Amino acid sequence: MNGYQEVIQATAKKILMFLRTMEETQDNINFTRITESQTKIRTVSAASLDIALSEIHALTPPDEDTEFHASLIAALTHLENARDAFTNARPDSDIGAAFVQSRFSQCRALDVLYNHRADLPSLETYWFLADTDRPTRTTSISSGDSLPAVGMRN
């Protein structure tokens, strides 16, 4: 694995940490304890999303990965927007709209990331149910191969 791919896979693990935290927060939302949820998202973001954004922006992709790199930056930007919508909301007045906006941005990121799932194996546990067949690393979105139909978690 080359240096670019090593950074990408390490970044994918940070993305996974952030995605799992966002999902857990949304699944267990308690609108009387929004400030705690916002603090949790901020804390995890500092240890994952913020670092991932910094790493990806500092990275120069090989020519063959330029399009993938741009897609990854777009996904991270959507996740940043999701975080900001949720964490910047005032708990007493606009949390409902912020929650929906946050989820919308997160879904936009998930769409981009899912389209690159064969190139981001670290995210595999996010997409696939434990008891389903998984695509092999020989299949790749960028090469035009199709992936087998499998169960999707989200």
Side-chain angles (χ1 to χ4, degrees):
M1 187 180 300
N2 64 34
Y4 177 79
Q5 284 301 318
E6 288 174 7
V7 174
I8 293 298
Q9 296 315 314
T11 298
K13 290 177 184 176
K14 293 174 185 79
I15 293 169
L16 179 62
M17 179 192 320
F18 182 77
L19 288 174
R20 290 211 186 281
T21 303
M22 286 293 285
E23 290 286 340
E24 178 187 331
T25 301
Q26 292 163 353
D27 288 349
N28 300 307
I29 194 78
N30 180 336
F31 287 102
T32 63
R33 300 174 78 182
I34 291 300
T35 303
E36 290 174 33
S37 296
Q38 289 173 317
T39 299
K40 181 179 181 179
I41 295 295
R42 281 187 198 104
T43 301
V44 170
S45 177
S48 59
L49 183 61
D50 295 347
I51 295 169
L53 279 160
S54 176
E55 289 173 346
I56 291 302
H57 282 295
L59 198 59
T60 302
D63 290 342
E64 64 271 12
D65 289 323
T66 303
E67 198 172 308
F68 165 76
H69 192 83
S71 293
L72 192 54
I73 288 174
L76 287 167
T77 301
H78 291 311
L79 290 176
E80 185 178 37
N81 292 341
R83 179 209 52 212
D84 292 347
F86 185 76
T87 60
N88 293 335
R90 294 177 315 209
D92 58 340
S93 64
D94 58 1
I95 193 61
F99 181 88
V100 171
Q101 181 60 44
S102 176
R103 186 67 187 169
F104 174 75
S105 293
Q106 183 179 346
C107 288
R108 292 183 72 189
L110 292 172
D111 182 53
V112 173
L113 293 170
Y114 189 74
N115 287 331
H116 291 286
R117 65 194 178 278
D119 301 311
L120 298 166
S122 298
L123 295 180
E124 186 174 281
T125 59
Y126 188 80
W127 304 119
F128 301 104
L129 299 170
D131 60 349
T132 59
D133 291 329
R134 293 194 171 115
T136 64
R137 278 301 293 148
T138 59
T139 57
S140 170
I141 297 298
S142 58
S143 69
D145 295 339
S146 62
L147 296 171
V150 294
M152 189 171 125
R153 181 177 160 219
N154 295 299

